[in-house]
Amino acid sequence: MTSGRLRVVAIADTDSYVKWAAALLGSRPDVVAGTLLVLETPLVVSDAQERAALTGSGVDGATRVGYDDLLDRVLEVGPDVVMLAARGPLVRVLARLVAAALPDAVIATGLPGISVPATRKALVYRAQCDAFVLHSHREVREFTAMSIERGIAQRFALARLPFARAAVSRDGEVRGDDLVFAAQAIVPRERVDRLRVARMLVRAAQAHPNRRVVVKLRGVKGESQTHREYDGYPDLIASLGPVPPNLVFSTEPMGAALTRAAGLVTVSSTAAVEAVAQGTPVIALDTFGVGPDLINTVFVGSGLLAGEESVIARDFRDPEAGWLEDNYFHPPADDTWLEVLGELVTARRTGFLPHRPPWPRRGGALRDAWERKSVLGALDRSPTGRAAFVIGVPARTAVRLLRRVVHARLAARS
């Protein structure tokens, strides 16, 4: 440890994970000596996205690094904890790498926002990690239940969502006039539904021509996001005809957009939690229903769910008091993540915490190379990666084709 602080190296690549990792590292500088590495992958943040992600995080900067140089940079720090802040498939690859090269380091991971409902995939991809950071009592409860049900042992730790922790309440302050819409890449997913949202935003702008509708984007066209977006709102809105002059697009940090907001609208973005933390009222759009695929079941009972007409009328909502403590706004004293990480560091150094094995799967070294190639793409120039790609792509195609045939036959019999 450095001056009694935990040395934590966080490795992230996409916009949402860079923002989360930076905010988590920067939330407790008295206890954590943090280093943020941005790993070059096909989905890595742009320079502009990185600047937005770091704004207000408490982390001054990040170091970009390629996969081949990653271990050297981590070893330079000699961390107590390596925090894998990335999508599940990349976490699985990095956990294997870190476990082999840093026998004394604890491997931690986490999710960058609303993680209800719990999913088996999230657990399986992170099975080799020693600790899994979540952000509400409800998330810990649901993931614990799933880990028991699926037989996937994991140590969960609670941390106030760093965007909520860092926010300063604006209660009593004069609010702005903007309606801020937090766009999401895959919610809703279908083009027809996204067009419906686009029409709603146009109507909201037309209903109040002297007040702005700000479509808060995660990046400009061509920039990568954690989830691939196929139907971006700038193109969808432009397809509807003349754009009202008070409907604008922004890629500024969400915290900055909220300072001028009368209210926030989203389907299920974590921006809703950030808005609540700043005292900004919210509408969680339930036009398309409520369910796991929309990632909005967490808002049941919150008082925030409402439809399109409420958005157009700017009838924003404040959350029900009884919903808050179980969902992202627990007392700081309930947090366990630093205590858990400290206990695990001690246990590993004294020999009582062996590294977890990777999740069992077939294929051995070739499978490992295939998984690495899958997340790094052209950035993996290794001979084993090329070999795995040559063998793996036809094999995967054949497996998918066989599954379709089997499903078709089963459907025909039923």
Side-chain angles (χ1 to χ4, degrees):
M1 298 187 188
T2 302
S3 302
R5 295 189 295 168
L6 279 174
R7 291 190 302 265
V8 180
V9 172
I11 304 171
D13 66 332
T14 66
D15 58 329
S16 58
Y17 278 102
V18 170
K19 179 179 178 180
W20 174 74
L24 190 65
L25 292 179
S27 66
R28 289 296 305 274
D30 56 321
V31 182
V32 173
T35 300
L36 177 59
L37 301 180
V38 175
L39 179 63
E40 296 284 357
T41 72
L43 299 180
V44 70
V45 291
S46 67
D47 291 339
Q49 286 175 311
E50 182 182 312
R51 287 192 296 272
L54 297 185
T55 299
S57 68
V59 172
D60 294 332
T63 301
R64 294 203 171 219
V65 61
Y67 183 83
D68 291 342
D69 299 321
L70 178 61
L71 276 182
D72 288 339
R73 300 309 297 263
V74 174
L75 289 168
E76 285 176 9
V77 178
D80 305 303
V81 178
V82 178
M83 178 68 71
L84 302 181
R87 296 156 292 130
L90 181 55
V91 168
R92 178 157 61 185
V93 170
L94 295 178
R96 196 160 52 237
L97 180 74
V98 172
L102 286 88
D104 294 332
V106 166
I107 305 174
T109 189
L111 296 170
I114 292 171
S115 303
V116 172
T119 65
R120 178 181 177 275
K121 276 189 175 181
L123 286 171
V124 169
Y125 280 131
R126 295 166 175 83
Q128 200 171 0
C129 298
D130 302 301
F132 194 143
V133 178
L134 297 168
H135 300 296
S136 75
H137 286 296
R138 180 174 178 177
E139 288 184 356
V140 171
R141 190 167 60 249
E142 291 197 10
F143 269 92
T144 299
M146 175 160 284
S147 71
I148 294 171
E149 175 189 346
R150 298 289 187 170
I152 305 172
Q154 185 55 268
R155 178 80 180 269
F156 298 106
L158 179 64
R160 182 85 173 261
L161 192 67
F163 322 129
R165 181 195 295 115
V168 177
S169 174
R170 296 167 52 210
D171 287 342
E173 295 184 16
V174 177
R175 302 186 191 282
D177 288 330
D178 291 349
L179 182 161
V180 177
F181 173 71
Q184 295 170 268
I186 60 172
V187 180
R189 186 182 295 273
E190 300 302 325
R191 179 180 176 85
V192 63
D193 293 336
R194 296 177 76 82
L195 271 170
R196 184 170 177 176
V197 172
R199 292 190 187 95
M200 177 196 72
L201 295 171
V202 170
R203 290 177 61 202
Q206 292 170 337
H208 303 274
N210 295 322
R211 298 181 181 181
R212 296 199 311 169
V213 172
V214 179
V215 182
K216 171 65 182 70
L217 306 172
R218 299 297 295 268
V220 298
K221 194 169 185 177
E223 289 182 319
S224 297
Q225 301 180 46
T226 300
H227 301 287
R228 187 173 181 180
E229 184 175 49
Y230 290 98
D231 294 298
Y233 286 106
D235 290 340
L236 292 174
I237 289 172
S239 74
L240 299 176
V243 179
N246 60 323
L247 195 163
V248 300
F249 303 95
S250 172
T251 58
E252 67 182 336
M254 179 57 73
L258 289 175
T259 62
R260 298 185 297 276
L264 177 100
V265 178
T266 187
V267 176
S268 57
S269 171
T270 303
V273 179
E274 193 169 351
V276 169
Q278 293 197 14
T280 301
V282 171
I283 292 175
L285 190 66
D286 63 1
T287 294
F288 309 104
V290 176
D293 56 326
L294 293 164
I295 325 176
N296 62 354
T297 57
V298 71
F299 294 117
V300 173
S302 69
L304 301 178
L305 290 165
E308 293 170 74
E309 296 307 316
S310 293
V311 174
I312 293 164
R314 295 183 174 228
D315 182 17
F316 303 113
R317 316 296 174 85
D318 291 311
E320 297 288 342
W323 177 84
L324 292 170
E325 185 167 340
D326 202 37
N327 296 278
Y328 308 106
F329 293 94
H330 57 269
D334 290 358
D335 281 356
T336 62
W337 69 288
L338 291 171
E339 177 184 354
V340 167
L341 292 182
E343 290 176 357
L344 292 174
V345 167
T346 299
R348 175 137 295 156
R349 288 183 172 179
T350 54
F352 290 101
L353 182 69
H355 274 294
R356 297 175 180 225
W359 184 256
R361 68 227 184 282
R362 296 176 180 176
L366 188 63
R367 175 65 178 266
D368 293 350
W370 164 255
E371 291 178 355
R372 186 181 67 245
K373 184 69 174 178
S374 296
V375 295
L376 297 179
L379 297 171
D380 178 11
R381 303 178 182 88
S382 67
T384 54
R386 288 194 294 271
F389 184 79
V390 169
I391 297 170
V393 170
R396 183 177 61 175
T397 302
V399 168
R400 288 178 174 176
L401 180 60
L402 178 60
R403 285 175 178 168
R404 290 195 190 104
V405 171
V406 170
H407 289 161
R409 288 179 177 176
L410 291 175
R413 293 174 183 172
S414 61

